[in-house]
Amino acid sequence: MHIRTNVGYSSSPAYTRLQAQQPSTMSGMLLHCPRGCRTAFVLRLATLYRSERTRDATYISLNRPYDRVAHTMGMTVRGVRQMVHRANTSSLSTPATPITPTVFDNFAVGAIRRHIHRRFADKQHLTLSVLSMELKAEGVIPEHTSETAVWRLIHTMGFKYKVSQRKMYSYVRRESPDVVCRRIGALRALQHYREEGMMVVYVDETCRQVPPGEGERFVVVAGGTAGGFVEGSYLCYPAKSSQGDYHGEMNGDLFQRWLTTHLLPSLPEPSVLVLDNAPYHSQLTEESRCPTTATKKADLISWLEHRSISIPPAAARHQLLLLCRQNRPEAQYKIDNTIHEWGHQVVRLPPGHPELNAIEQVWGCMKSHVRSSLRRFTRADLQARLEEAKQLANKDVWLAAVRHSQNYEKGYWRSDNIHEPVGPVIINVTSDDESEEDDDVFLDSDCD
């Protein structure tokens, strides 16, 4: 049954009441729909209104707005009522506040790794919920940290999980083989250089900002040994920006300039430098760069021909890229080459192991002093407090930090089951009669 009416849509009581109740919600929700969704919605309305104009009548009475919407959108009346109810009882019209991702510093990452290793050493069952509660109870992570954030961090650190027989997600002691191999290699290299009598120099950068997130910020880069900061290596400069990660204030060229003008000339004897895997520490040389998916096909062919690698006839771009990856050269870093030119060695720590870098402990002591002694949030006061903290980081503080890192090294030697390499065994064989008689006696006793 069709109802004739000469009442316009804009003058109908239902439309006027709906428009008065939510004047901006309807347009806001429509504007936030995907473009394809809005197009389909407009086309359906235009088709309906043209059809009603041709018939000079409405298909459904204006007194039945839910029925009209259901007919227009191809839905059921119940579905329309449920959607309207959810829109009226929720905050869909209010733009959602963007969720700030949880950021974990180096100390938190190291503490989480050590906590997991202790649990595995005790052969305890470890689930994601139990791990999150224990870390919050120990103050390692904030109380508001979600399990999803912990899950992402655990996987970034190289840990894996599986479903146990009880259908519970249980973390197992399975780190990424690359992380474990790099840790073992770093530990063996440190022990080897110490046995040769080389001085171990811990290098790192840090940042201090007061108040956090909005105040003045200074970037500090230095190198130190068990005897304190290397003379002339300490560099403190104001950051250009007070937002974002402080690593953006350092780049490869700036770090290499500091290395060649401050640290390396101050080292009196051949030393071994301990570095982390910051991006500006890991710039590859041109010879060791491998083409990427953004490399043009002509450049792929040139890269393969330069290395005398045979190219299949009529090879596609993806085949060339796969061939380049199969012949990827060994990674060579600009920083490492510079250090070697000065007669020193480099040990690169695996990702997420700040506890093996003793300077991280020194940074913690300095930040604690600045945080407790700062009174005015000015650049001059912050710089003065940093200078005081540098003076407090004396030989005793550095010696304790180095011993602390060496204790962690011993713990990884035990947990990773690393054994000392066995040298060749030399047996001297003589040709006299006595040795032959001894051999005969040995063989006889062995046979018995």
Side-chain angles (χ1 to χ4, degrees), residues 177-197:
D178 177 65
V179 173
V180 177
C181 291
R182 292 171 69 175
R183 182 169 63 225
I184 294 175
L187 295 175
R188 289 188 184 277
L190 283 173
Q191 184 188 46
H192 171 71
Y193 291 131
R194 286 195 183 104
E195 291 177 351
E196 290 188 351

Side-chain angles (χ1 to χ4, degrees), residues 193-210:
Y193 291 131
R194 286 195 183 104
E195 291 177 351
E196 290 188 351
M198 298 182 67
M199 181 174 61
V200 180
V201 181
Y202 299 92
V203 180
D204 193 34
E205 310 82 23
T206 188
C207 171
R208 190 56 188 158
Q209 183 178 27
V210 180

Side-chain angles (χ1 to χ4, degrees), residues 9-203:
Y9 298 128
S10 60
S11 61
S12 64
Y15 180 85
T16 303
R17 183 169 61 253
L18 182 60
Q19 189 179 28
Q21 290 176 352
Q22 295 179 337
S24 61
T25 302
M26 297 173 58
S27 59
M29 294 175 62
L30 183 60
L31 290 176
H32 285 84
C33 289
R35 186 172 183 179
C37 175
R38 294 199 303 271
T39 303
F41 184 74
V42 171
L43 291 177
R44 293 183 72 91
L45 285 179
T47 302
L48 175 65
Y49 292 162
R50 284 198 301 265
S51 177
E52 289 184 341
R53 183 184 61 180
T54 302
R55 297 172 61 88
D56 195 19
T58 58
Y59 284 98
I60 302 176
S61 172
L62 297 178
N63 295 325
R64 299 162 59 190
Y66 293 110
D67 298 63
R68 288 178 59 79
V69 175
H71 174 73
T72 304
M73 302 303 297
M75 300 172 57
T76 62
V77 178
R78 181 179 180 183
V80 173
R81 291 182 181 274
Q82 290 178 349
M83 290 184 65
V84 173
H85 177 73
R86 286 196 298 267
N88 292 334
T89 57
S90 63
S91 58
L92 293 179
S93 60
T94 304
T97 304
I99 301 176
T100 304
T102 306
V103 179
F104 301 95
D105 57 9
N106 289 336
F107 290 99
V109 173
I112 293 172
R113 185 184 299 277
R114 294 191 297 272
H115 181 88
I116 296 176
H117 281 193
R118 287 197 303 269
R119 292 296 302 271
F120 288 142
D122 296 337
K123 302 185 182 301
Q124 297 180 3
H125 187 73
L126 187 61
T127 61
L128 181 59
S129 59
V130 172
L131 177 62
S132 300
M133 289 189 298
E134 291 179 352
L135 294 176
K136 293 177 182 178
E138 295 179 1
V140 178
I141 60 177
E143 289 291 337
H144 58 81
T145 305
S146 64
E147 291 187 3
T148 304
V150 178
W151 176 81
R152 291 196 185 101
L153 177 63
I154 294 299
H155 277 265
T156 304
M157 295 168 60
F159 289 95
K160 306 297 181 182
Y161 72 96
K162 67 178 181 180
V163 181
S164 64
Q165 296 179 353
R166 299 180 181 179
K167 305 298 181 183
M168 296 178 61
Y169 285 96
S170 175
Y171 277 93
V172 298
R173 191 176 185 179
R174 181 187 171 192
E175 289 182 276
S176 171
D178 177 65
V179 173
V180 177
C181 291
R182 292 171 69 175
R183 182 169 63 225
I184 294 175
L187 295 175
R188 289 188 184 277
L190 283 173
Q191 184 188 46
H192 171 71
Y193 291 131
R194 286 195 183 104
E195 291 177 351
E196 290 188 351
M198 298 182 67
M199 181 174 61
V200 180
V201 181
Y202 299 92
V203 180

Side-chain angles (χ1 to χ4, degrees), residues 312-356:
R317 183 175 180 277
H318 294 285
Q319 293 176 307
L320 296 175
L321 184 59
L322 178 61
L323 193 59
C324 292
R325 291 178 177 175
Q326 292 174 348
N327 295 271
R328 182 191 301 270
E330 185 179 356
Q332 295 181 3
Y333 302 103
K334 297 180 180 179
I335 297 299
D336 293 12
N337 292 344
T338 302
I339 295 174
H340 292 156
E341 290 174 359
W342 284 73
H344 305 289
Q345 302 297 328
V346 183
V347 172
R348 290 182 169 269
L349 298 178
H353 289 71
E355 64 275 10
L356 297 181

Side-chain angles (χ1 to χ4, degrees), residues 230-447:
V230 176
E231 187 68 26
S233 67
Y234 186 89
L235 176 63
C236 179
Y237 61 92
K240 296 180 181 180
S241 173
S242 61
Q243 304 294 330
D245 187 5
Y246 75 90
H247 289 93
E249 303 291 339
M250 177 71 73
N251 53 49
D253 295 335
L254 181 59
F255 181 79
Q256 183 146 353
R257 193 183 315 127
W258 168 83
L259 198 67
T260 55
T261 58
H262 288 74
L263 179 62
L264 294 179
S266 303
L267 297 178
E269 57 187 22
S271 307
V272 52
L273 276 65
V274 179
L275 300 175
D276 58 12
N277 289 273
Y280 39 83
H281 295 167
S282 306
Q283 290 186 345
L284 295 173
T285 60
E286 293 297 332
E287 295 76 12
S288 62
R289 290 183 181 273
C290 183
T292 63
T293 54
T295 307
K296 297 180 180 179
K297 183 176 181 180
D299 296 334
L300 293 176
I301 296 176
S302 176
W303 190 88
L304 292 171
E305 290 178 347
H306 179 70
R307 288 159 178 78
S308 302
I309 301 174
S310 59
I311 303 175
R317 183 175 180 277
H318 294 285
Q319 293 176 307
L320 296 175
L321 184 59
L322 178 61
L323 193 59
C324 292
R325 291 178 177 175
Q326 292 174 348
N327 295 271
R328 182 191 301 270
E330 185 179 356
Q332 295 181 3
Y333 302 103
K334 297 180 180 179
I335 297 299
D336 293 12
N337 292 344
T338 302
I339 295 174
H340 292 156
E341 290 174 359
W342 284 73
H344 305 289
Q345 302 297 328
V346 183
V347 172
R348 290 182 169 269
L349 298 178
H353 289 71
E355 64 275 10
L356 297 181
N357 197 344
I359 198 173
E360 295 284 359
Q361 310 295 330
V362 179
W363 292 149
C365 297
M366 293 178 61
K367 290 181 179 180
S368 178
H369 172 75
V370 173
R371 184 169 52 251
S372 60
S373 62
L374 194 64
R375 294 296 178 264
R376 294 178 298 171
F377 299 149
T378 61
R379 171 179 292 190
D381 193 25
L382 177 57
Q383 192 169 11
R385 301 290 85 75
L386 285 172
E387 186 63 27
E388 291 178 0
K390 174 191 173 184
Q391 300 299 328
L392 292 176
N394 52 23
K395 180 179 179 180
D396 296 335
V397 173
W398 269 97
L399 184 59
V402 171
R403 289 176 178 175
H404 200 63
S405 296
Q406 291 178 350
N407 290 334
Y408 285 124
E409 292 180 24
K410 295 177 182 178
Y412 282 124
W413 275 83
R414 293 190 298 267
S415 62
D416 292 338
N417 198 22
I418 307 176
H419 299 285
E420 296 285 350
V422 179
V425 179
I426 301 176
I427 302 176
N428 295 322
V429 180
T430 58
S431 58
D432 54 358
D433 297 338
E434 182 178 357
S435 62
E436 293 180 358
E437 293 178 359
D438 292 341
D439 292 340
D440 293 340
V441 174
F442 173 75
L443 292 176
D444 294 339
S445 60
D446 186 55
C447 294

